[in-house]
């Protein structure tokens, strides 16, 4: 069984241990130990019921740890709860676990970080990159979150906004990162939309569907990135686009605009354009203005600068970059693109090379390196 399959089983196993009374941090450690055991044992002797095997081994790992620092009475009570051998129930505990991790005792940012690490399977480095903070800072945040919930009874679910933020970040990492979590994030958001009548849940689902619809066109056969303007739109998933637009329109009709609805509106405008040249950039800028008002996010302002450059020309786009921190992820890449369109090839080449060094994954780095090399060949 590959790593991706193991990741899909992890949340359900963790949820079972938590429900049976295991401390969250100890349960996570036990599950990680069980995963390591699976990697060692399964190639030679794969179990017929992988989830049941993981639950049994993780619970025993937890008990082994509990015996070292708990009283005999508590230990005996815990042993009585050991699950019986046999197939594990097919119930999906993942969404419930997302809500449990968004515990009221945690700040929203800590809850998101903890869930991404414990349930989403992202590394501390990936989470730090998503939050634009140093890896050491994020490691401390996650450690504090674990200490906060250590011994806490998980009988109060967190709020919808925190769960949406986690699902959004998991989807983004799955969409553009090294671990494919996008389909799982969509599945969970569908379940949440079916259970909760909330326009932002619908907005997030629409956003995911619209982005995911373009996935097949995002890479060439050799694995290299294909920019949006150069993608073969015939490879876009029209059924997902139609579903995403329908969900978005229903959400917008409720007149309770939120961040995810606004982002989905931008994605819908891209999806609606028959060609890149026919994209309604003026309306996209207007939606980015709404997003800036809703979030104040520097990343949103960076994306807005690209849209302004398309709507009003590259010089206007560069002016929109003024005041933004040059250390922002993709700042150098955006500036390079706008300088290239403005005809300043030397500056664009330098910035593409700089952006390649900062790229978060190999495909993006190779794409930016090729851009820099192409411009370098054109310089006198």
């Amino acid at each position: 069984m590959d790593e991706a399959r193991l990741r899909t089983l992890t949340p359900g196993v963790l949820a079972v241990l938590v429900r049976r009374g295991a401390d969250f941090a100890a349960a996570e450690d036990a599950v990680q130990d069980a995963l390591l055991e699976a990697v060692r044992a399964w190639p030679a002797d794969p179990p017929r019921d992988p989830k049941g095997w993981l639950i049994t081994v993780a619970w025993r790992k937890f008990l082994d740890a509990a015996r070292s620092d708990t009283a005999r009475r508590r230990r005996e009570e815990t042993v009585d709860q050991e699950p019986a051998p046999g197939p594990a129930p097919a119930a999906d505990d993942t969404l419930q676990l997302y809500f449990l991790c968004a515990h009221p005792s945690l700040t929203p940012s800590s809850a998101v970080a903890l869930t991404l690490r414990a349930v989403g399977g992202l590394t501390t480095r990936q989470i730090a990159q998503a939050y634009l903070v140093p890896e050491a800072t994020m490691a401390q945040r996650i450690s504090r979150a674990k200490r906060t919930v250590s011994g806490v009874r998980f009988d109060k679910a967190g709020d919808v906004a925190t769960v949406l933020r986690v699902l959004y970040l998991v989807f983004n990492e799955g969409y553009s990162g090294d671990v494919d979590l996008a389909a799982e994030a969509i599945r969970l958001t569908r379940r949440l939309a079916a259970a909760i009548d909330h326009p932002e849940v619908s907005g997030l689902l629409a956003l995911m569907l619209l982005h995911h619809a373009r996935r097949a066109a995002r890479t060439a056969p050799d694995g290299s990135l294909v920019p949006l303007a150069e993608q073969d739109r015939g490879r876009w998933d029209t059924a997902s686009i139609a579903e995403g637009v329908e969900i978005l329109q229903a959400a917008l009709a409720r007149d309770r605009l939120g961040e995810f609805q606004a982002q989905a509106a931008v994605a819908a405008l891209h999806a609606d354009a028959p060609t890149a040249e026919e994209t309604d950039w003026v309306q996209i800028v207007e939606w980015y203005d709404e997003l800036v008002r809703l979030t104040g996010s520097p990343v949103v302002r960076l994306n807005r600068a690209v849209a302004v450059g398309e709507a009003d020309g590259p010089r206007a786009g560069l002016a929109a970059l003024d005041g933004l921190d040059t250390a922002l992820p993709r700042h150098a890449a955006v500036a390079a693109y706008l300088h290239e369109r403005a005809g300043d090839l030397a500056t664009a080449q330098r910035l593409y090379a700089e952006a390649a060094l900062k790229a978060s994954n190999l495909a993006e780095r190779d794409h930016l390196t090729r851009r820099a090399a192409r411009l370098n060949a054109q310089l006198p």
Side-chain angles (χ1 to χ4, degrees), residues 15-353:
V16 170
L17 267 64
V18 170
R19 278 206 309 271
R20 292 182 178 276
D23 168 271
F24 188 92
E28 186 189 9
D29 290 341
V31 172
Q32 294 301 319
D33 288 343
L35 291 174
L36 291 174
E37 185 69 16
V39 170
R40 185 191 65 79
W42 287 8
D45 185 22
R48 284 184 292 181
D49 178 24
K51 183 178 178 181
W53 188 98
L54 285 171
I55 290 172
T56 299
V57 173
W59 188 253
R60 288 173 180 166
K61 295 285 187 183
F62 167 71
L63 293 180
D64 288 343
R67 288 190 180 100
S68 67
D69 58 8
T70 60
R72 180 180 179 83
R73 180 177 60 82
R74 173 58 181 158
R75 183 168 69 245
E76 291 174 350
E77 291 174 352
T78 306
V79 171
D80 289 341
Q81 298 176 26
E82 182 170 354
D92 185 349
D93 303 295
T94 309
L95 191 57
Q96 178 191 16
L97 193 57
Y98 271 66
F99 274 94
L100 291 176
C101 286
H103 197 272
S105 63
L106 295 171
T107 64
S109 60
S110 294
V112 170
L114 177 63
T115 314
L116 289 173
R117 183 70 186 92
V119 189
L122 274 63
T123 66
T124 303
R125 180 181 181 184
Q126 289 170 320
I127 302 168
Q129 289 173 341
Y131 269 86
L132 312 181
V133 299
E135 184 175 352
T137 300
M138 184 53 66
Q140 293 174 355
R141 184 179 299 176
I142 293 171
S143 294
R144 285 197 299 270
K146 288 181 178 180
R147 288 196 299 270
T148 299
V149 299
S150 179
V152 168
R153 184 174 180 82
F154 280 76
D155 55 357
K156 294 181 179 179
D159 68 327
V160 175
T162 300
V163 173
L164 289 179
R165 177 62 50 187
V166 175
L167 289 169
Y168 174 65
L169 291 173
V170 169
F171 175 82
N172 279 346
E173 192 59 45
Y175 188 71
S176 61
D178 301 322
V179 181
D180 187 358
L181 297 168
E184 175 68 357
I186 291 173
R187 185 185 70 82
L188 292 172
T189 306
R190 282 191 187 279
R191 291 196 61 197
L192 186 58
I196 299 176
D197 183 20
H198 192 297
E200 271 296 79
V201 176
S202 298
L204 178 58
L205 179 56
L207 175 63
M208 289 179 174
L209 290 170
L210 289 163
H211 276 305
H212 207 60
R214 303 199 302 260
R215 187 168 189 177
R218 290 183 73 244
T219 54
D222 62 0
S224 59
L225 282 181
V226 180
L228 176 60
E230 301 170 21
Q231 289 176 14
D232 177 1
R233 299 184 179 221
R235 299 184 66 196
W236 290 1
D237 183 347
T238 55
S240 292
I241 290 173
E243 182 186 5
V245 169
E246 182 180 0
I247 292 171
L248 173 62
Q249 288 175 339
L252 291 174
R254 301 176 65 175
D255 199 23
R256 290 169 56 194
L257 183 64
E259 173 186 357
F260 296 122
Q261 295 170 68
Q263 287 194 52
V266 171
L269 286 166
H270 283 298
D272 186 56
T275 66
E277 293 73 23
E278 295 174 87
T279 303
D280 189 346
W281 286 107
V282 172
Q283 194 172 168
I284 287 176
V285 171
E286 292 173 355
W287 277 111
Y288 273 123
D289 289 339
E290 290 288 346
L291 274 167
V292 170
R293 181 182 62 80
L294 289 166
T295 69
S297 165
V299 175
V300 170
R301 293 181 184 276
L302 187 67
N303 291 332
R304 178 184 178 277
V306 176
V308 169
E310 298 291 349
D312 300 325
R315 294 297 176 189
L318 288 168
L321 280 181
D322 285 348
L324 288 177
D325 187 350
T326 57
L328 276 173
R330 294 186 62 250
H331 186 286
V334 169
Y337 172 72
L338 292 171
H339 276 290
E340 180 184 1
R341 286 199 58 222
D344 186 353
L345 301 190
T347 300
Q349 187 276 334
R350 175 179 58 79
L351 288 169
Y352 275 131

Side-chain angles (χ1 to χ4, degrees), residues 332 351-361 364-369 372:
L351 288 169
Y352 275 131
E354 178 185 327
L357 294 174
K358 299 178 179 178
S360 60
N361 59 70
E364 183 180 357
R365 183 170 61 208
D366 288 348
H367 170 72
L368 293 167
T369 300

